Structures are given as C-alpha cells and as structure tokens.
Amino acid sequence: MLEARWPEVILAVLDEGALLGELSAVDGAPRSATVVALEPVEVEVTTHEEFNELLEEHPRLATELLRLVAARLRDASVRQLEFGTMDTLARLCATLVELANRYGQEQADLTEVTAPFHQGELAAWSGMSREAVVKGFRQLRSLGWLTIEGRTLTLHDVAAIQRRAHGIAATPPVVMPALWLRAPLRHRSRASRTARVSSGVARRSPARRRNAGRI
C-alpha cells in the first residue's frame, strides 16, 4: 500500500504463504510500500543478512525469487495498461472478476463473494475514487448483474461482467444494418433518375432533328 506523498493506493492483495519485502531484501533499499493485515495473521520474519545467506546456501531459491519478482512486475504492467486504456466501469468489472476467482463461491447460476475490504479499499485497489465505485455498482445493479448486501457481493452474470471488463459494452449500438439498408435505396434512386433523364433525351431528339430540317 502506498501513501505519504500520494493518495492511498493498494498495490496488491496477498493471500496465505505470500512473500513480502523481497525487493528491499535484495537491494537493501528502503521499502516502497507498507503492509496492513486484513485479519489476524502469523508471519515469519528474517533479516537482510539471513535472507542473503539463505540464497547463497540454496541457489535454487534465487531462481524462484526471480520468478516471483517477474510475476509481480508482469502484474504491475497489466494494471498500468488497464489504468491507461480501460474506463472506470471496466476496471471495476475486472476487479470483481478477480475477487470472484480468488474468493467466490459458486451457487447454482450465481457467484457470491465476501469482499475482504470495504468499498473505499476496493476503490484504492482498482485505482478509482469511492464515488466512481458507488456509481459503477449502481450501473451493475441496474443491469441485473450484481447485488450487494454488506460486504457480500452476488454476481448474477459473471460472463457479462467478464465481457464488460474486456471493454465489450452491454448493449452495443446497431449501426451497420441501417447503413446497408439505406445504401441500395440511394443506388436505386440514382438509377431511376438516370432512366428518366435518358428517356427525356430520347423524346427531345426527334424534335431537334425536325427543327434542324426546317432551318
């Protein structure tokens, strides 16, 4: 979680068995974020020196650590892309899909999710304001995709939420059929005008020839 010079931003929500503080353990630089437990936890703490000794004794752990750092960097890149290309409702839907995958319980044709945090923290995790989250929830409820009771989110149409997370609108405008219907009408109209002009020329031609003969 970042704060201080910036508004509070939740960088990640980690589950049981996650490794924390690995960057500072590697380069010795100050930590770039703080950690807040959502519920009572037990942690194993090691010093910088002990961690380096462990890597030297077990080189294979260094490879696993590299994979972990690469995965988190990849995740950060995806989130940065989402912030730059997706609208707020799409980001909210993407967050709901992730919550459903991690904490959801499927029941018949719906999925129930007990969120591990409140709406303000959900907004900080999604890179949105609390007002935008409230507005987004209102839109999803009006579509019948979501209902909320306390911290329990019930996703009634996970597939639709997934599609909206990928930028597919709920009701895409139908434009092309109307254009295709009008195009033949314009074509026939030009053809009929051409026919009328051609017939008019054909009727005038004999008159012009007769006048020419008289002169």
Side-chain angles (χ1 to χ4, degrees):
M1 182 173 64
L2 290 178
E3 39 189 3
R5 290 179 296 172
W6 302 279
E8 181 179 285
V9 175
I10 296 179
L11 299 177
V13 179
L14 304 178
D15 297 321
E16 181 180 0
L19 180 66
L20 302 174
E22 71 282 354
L23 293 181
S24 295
V26 171
D27 60 12
R31 291 185 294 273
S32 57
T34 60
V35 178
V36 176
L38 298 174
E39 56 187 23
V41 297
E42 294 183 1
V43 296
E44 184 72 26
V45 180
T46 182
T47 64
H48 176 71
E49 293 75 14
E50 292 173 343
F51 186 74
N52 284 332
E53 290 177 2
L54 183 64
L55 294 180
E56 291 175 0
E57 294 175 3
H58 305 278
R60 188 173 179 179
L61 291 179
T63 302
E64 295 300 323
L65 179 62
L66 182 60
R67 290 175 178 171
L68 172 65
V69 173
R72 291 185 177 176
L73 177 61
R74 190 184 303 275
D75 181 67
S77 298
V78 170
R79 289 174 63 84
Q80 184 177 12
L81 180 64
E82 291 175 350
F83 293 158
T85 60
M86 298 169 63
D87 58 31
T88 55
L89 185 58
R91 294 207 304 270
L92 178 59
C93 288
T95 301
L96 291 176
V97 171
E98 183 172 354
L99 286 174
N101 292 336
R102 294 173 63 173
Y103 309 111
Q105 296 182 352
E106 296 185 2
Q107 299 182 6
D109 57 347
L110 53 84
T111 301
E112 286 190 353
V113 180
T114 301
F117 34 61
H118 54 70
Q119 289 187 8
E121 293 168 334
L122 180 65
W125 189 28
S126 305
M128 304 165 57
S129 66
R130 182 183 177 88
E131 292 75 16
V133 169
V134 172
K135 180 179 178 181
F137 280 157
R138 188 182 304 118
Q139 290 178 285
L140 296 177
R141 285 197 298 265
S142 67
L143 292 170
W145 297 354
L146 175 75
T147 55
I148 303 174
E149 185 175 352
R151 290 195 178 186
T152 301
L153 310 175
T154 302
L155 282 60
H156 297 275
D157 195 338
V158 177
I161 295 176
Q162 288 176 332
R163 289 194 299 269
R164 187 60 182 84
H166 289 86
I168 303 175
T171 54
V174 180
V175 177
M176 290 305 296
L179 293 177
W180 283 108
L181 287 174
R182 288 197 296 269
L185 293 177
R186 289 197 297 269
H187 180 70
R188 286 197 298 269
S189 177
R190 289 196 298 269
S192 61
R193 287 198 301 270
T194 302
R196 287 196 298 271
V197 172
S198 298
S199 62
V201 172
R203 286 194 298 271
R204 288 196 296 270
S205 295
R208 289 179 178 176
R209 285 197 296 269
R210 286 196 297 271
N211 292 335
R214 292 175 182 174
I215 294 173

